[in-house]
Amino acid sequence: IQKRWRGYYVRKYVHNYYALKKYLEAVSVNNEIVRNELQKYAEMNENERKKKDQEKKEKEKKYQARKMHYLLSTEQIAGIYNSPFRKSPDPMELLLRQSKPLSHRQQQVKSPFTDELYDWPTCKRPPTFHAGEPLPPISRQKPQGPFRDTAEVLRQRYKPLEPTLRVAASIDSPLGKARAEMKREEWRNHIHDNEFLPFSSYHKNEKYNPSIHRSGKYGEETYGIKHFREVQPNKWVTGK
């Protein structure tokens, strides 16, 4: 009895087959709905991307048409997009007719001293020196026209200096150079040539030569050595 009751209870309330089947059907329906929504979202994103790409291409095509507006056909001469051998004009020709040419605005050259003059009274920043833009590199391909070879031009530009004998030789003779060097040496060593070595035994055995201000004909002078202070012992307070 217990075995049959446990089986009935489990099949009825724990592992209900019909409830599980209904749940799985609901999950499959929900998955299908979500899948359809994601598919629509992906298609919408793809259409948006294609639309942006198309707008970008149209904008680029219009810009090219404005840039190449000089290729438009005239009453006398047909343009390259309106060839008489075509049955109908090229779509670019129609776009050239609808577009306007680009305006050639002259670029304003800014004075390099404007900022310095503006900031000069306040001294907000140090002055800067504007250097010109570097020149473009010289292409190795020979340009079209009556021009010399690029290698020859570069060889002439960067050839080493070859001075003449007059430029290479010095104006002064070797004797004059030696005299000038001697004068510079005498001017540099005009005080004395004896090197002073205070912390060595080089001057230990030399005899001391007194200064001319400390000695005279009649012996050593007392100026600066002895003190000539007046002494009155009778006015001392003590015998010391």
Side-chain angles (χ1 to χ4, degrees):
I1 293 172
Q2 291 181 359
K3 180 178 68 174
R4 290 182 179 274
W5 166 253
R6 284 197 300 269
Y8 168 76
Y9 180 80
V10 168
R11 288 191 298 272
K12 182 70 176 178
Y13 298 103
V14 180
H15 298 296
N16 192 351
Y17 171 74
Y18 298 101
L20 182 61
K21 185 178 181 180
K22 188 177 180 181
Y23 170 73
L24 293 176
E25 289 178 356
V27 168
S28 63
V29 172
N30 191 17
N31 288 346
E32 190 67 25
I33 294 173
V34 171
R35 191 178 294 110
N36 292 335
E37 292 292 333
L38 290 176
Q39 185 70 20
K40 291 181 182 179
Y41 181 71
E43 290 178 357
M44 184 179 66
N45 285 345
E46 184 68 19
N47 295 334
E48 189 71 20
R49 187 182 64 81
K50 289 182 180 179
K51 185 179 178 181
K52 287 184 179 180
D53 292 345
Q54 187 69 19
E55 290 178 355
K56 186 178 180 180
K57 289 181 181 178
E58 290 292 334
K59 188 175 180 181
E60 183 69 21
K61 191 179 293 183
K62 288 182 180 179
Y63 175 75
Q64 292 294 335
R66 294 187 62 187
K67 191 176 180 181
M68 298 187 300
H69 191 268
Y70 59 89
L71 299 177
L72 182 63
S73 302
T74 60
E75 293 292 338
Q76 300 295 332
I77 303 175
I80 59 174
Y81 296 108
N82 191 18
S83 176
F85 302 101
R86 293 176 179 267
K87 294 182 179 180
S88 61
D90 193 85
M92 193 64 180
E93 176 69 20
L94 303 178
L95 191 60
L96 287 175
R97 295 176 184 177
Q98 297 174 2
S99 60
K100 295 182 179 180
L102 287 175
S103 59
H104 299 279
R105 292 180 298 179
Q106 189 174 5
Q107 197 172 15
Q108 296 181 356
V109 180
K110 187 177 180 182
S111 175
F113 305 101
T114 306
D115 296 337
E116 282 75 8
L117 293 177
Y118 180 76
D119 293 338
W120 178 73
T122 54
C123 297
K124 294 180 180 178
R125 59 181 180 178
T128 56
F129 299 96
H130 297 269
E133 295 183 358
L135 296 176
I138 301 176
S139 59
R140 297 300 178 184
Q141 186 177 3
K142 188 177 183 301
Q144 183 179 3
F147 302 108
R148 291 195 299 171
D149 188 17
T150 309
E152 183 182 355
V153 175
L154 292 177
R155 197 182 307 111
Q156 180 181 358
R157 179 183 297 179
Y158 298 109
K159 68 177 181 179
L161 179 64
E162 298 177 357
T164 60
L165 181 61
R166 178 184 177 188
V167 177
S170 177
I171 300 177
D172 299 331
S173 61
L175 183 60
K177 286 184 178 181
R179 289 175 179 173
E181 184 65 26
M182 188 183 300
K183 287 183 180 179
R184 284 196 294 269
E185 190 72 23
E186 290 178 357
W187 182 85
R188 187 166 63 248
N189 302 327
H190 70 283
I191 299 176
H192 58 78
D193 296 335
N194 297 329
E195 186 178 3
F196 179 65
L197 302 174
F199 300 103
S200 65
S201 59
Y202 180 76
H203 304 283
K204 184 179 293 184
N205 299 327
E206 289 186 1
K207 185 178 179 182
Y208 175 71
N209 297 322
S211 175
I212 60 176
H213 302 289
R214 299 286 302 275
S215 60
K217 181 179 180 181
Y218 302 102
E220 186 177 1
E221 295 182 358
T222 57
Y223 180 77
I225 299 177
K226 296 182 180 180
H227 299 278
F228 304 96
R229 182 171 158 186
E230 187 179 0
V231 180
Q232 297 178 2
N234 55 353
K235 292 186 179 181
W236 289 357
V237 178
T238 61
K240 297 181 179 180

